[in-house]
Amino acid sequence: MVVKRSYDSSRRQEQARQTRRAILDAAGRLFVDPGYAATPLTAVAAEAGVAVQTVYAVFGSKRHLLSQLVDVTLAGDDEPVALPDRPFVTEIRALADPRAKLTRYARHLAEVNARQAQVMLALAGAATADPDAAEIWRKNIDDRRRGMGMFAAELVGTGTLRPELDVEQVADILWLAQDFRNFDWLVRQRGWPLEKYQRWYVDTVSGAILAGTQ
């Protein structure tokens, strides 16, 4: 009987994960088109193939569903691991050369934007009219700015950047280059391959911050 309960528990957990994933996928499609404001949770439930009560039970509110969607598309999963503790950050820190650090980050950035650009565009649009979306938008901006501040300090610590640049200025440059709207324009609108986008990011940031690049 103990083994059976363990099996049943594992199966229920897997079913719960699948349900959560289906709801997030449905929200990801509908919050993009027709949009966050135009999508009631009943529509998300129908798209996911679950009852609307299930959506409320899993996420509690439309606002929390949007917040979780942004977080999951950023991370690529819903594992409880903070971004600074993710393997790609460890890999960047282990590299000594600043251009190598930028190259590794560019690969991560391309992967993130491929998942998240459409969701972020939808969030940016929703934030202009919806207070909940605006709050999530501001939090995302603050989180990204802190992340670029940490990356800037990592790069400045190599001692190879232009001496006139401080950490804040480097963070500003990194912030501008990583903006998802660059990815949307270059990759989604203009059809650049991901490899070309990554080279553009590395060449652009290297040229702006590394000593001896002009």
Side-chain angles (χ1 to χ4, degrees):
M1 294 298 292
V2 173
V3 173
K4 185 177 187 299
R5 284 198 298 269
S6 177
Y7 170 75
D8 287 346
S9 175
S10 298
R11 184 171 62 181
R12 284 195 298 271
Q13 290 175 0
E14 179 58 29
Q15 289 172 340
R17 283 193 292 269
Q18 291 176 359
T19 297
R20 176 182 170 82
R21 184 74 254 181
I23 295 169
L24 285 167
D25 289 345
R29 292 188 292 271
L30 296 178
F31 288 175
V32 169
D33 184 18
Y36 178 74
T39 302
L41 287 185
T42 51
V44 174
E47 179 76 7
V50 301
V52 70
Q53 292 86 352
T54 301
V55 178
Y56 280 110
V58 175
F59 292 99
S61 67
K62 186 179 176 183
R63 177 195 178 283
H64 193 246
L65 174 57
L66 176 61
S67 179
Q68 289 294 297
L69 176 64
V70 171
D71 289 347
V72 168
T73 53
L74 172 62
D77 57 56
D78 55 2
E79 296 297 323
V81 180
L83 281 180
D85 299 325
R86 297 257 168 179
F88 82 92
V89 176
T90 302
E91 292 171 13
I92 289 172
R93 288 172 176 162
L95 297 168
D97 179 69
R99 189 176 177 93
K101 291 179 183 290
L102 290 169
T103 299
R104 179 61 187 90
Y105 179 72
R107 179 155 59 90
H108 165 74
L109 185 64
E111 293 169 354
V112 169
N113 282 331
R115 291 192 302 266
Q116 198 185 43
Q118 286 184 286
V119 170
M120 292 306 299
L121 287 166
L123 175 61
T128 62
D130 185 275
D132 287 342
E135 183 179 346
I136 295 168
W137 172 252
R138 286 192 297 269
K139 179 183 181 299
N140 184 266
I141 287 177
D142 291 343
D143 289 346
R144 284 174 182 258
R145 187 59 176 76
R146 279 192 295 272
M148 292 304 95
M150 294 169 60
F151 191 22
E154 178 81 18
L155 291 168
V156 169
T158 66
T160 59
L161 272 59
R162 295 183 180 180
E164 69 272 18
L165 296 177
D166 59 21
V167 171
E168 287 299 307
Q169 290 172 312
V170 174
D172 289 341
I173 293 167
L174 293 170
W175 167 261
L176 183 63
Q178 64 84 43
D179 194 295
F180 62 87
R181 283 163 288 211
N182 294 328
F183 179 92
D184 178 64
W185 175 250
L186 295 174
V187 177
R188 297 185 63 245
Q189 305 298 327
R190 298 300 303 158
W192 282 24
L194 289 181
E195 294 79 7
K196 184 176 180 181
Y197 166 76
Q198 292 175 51
R199 288 196 302 272
W200 168 84
Y201 173 86
V202 174
D203 290 343
T204 299
V205 177
S206 295
I209 69 173
L210 296 185
T213 53
Q214 283 190 343

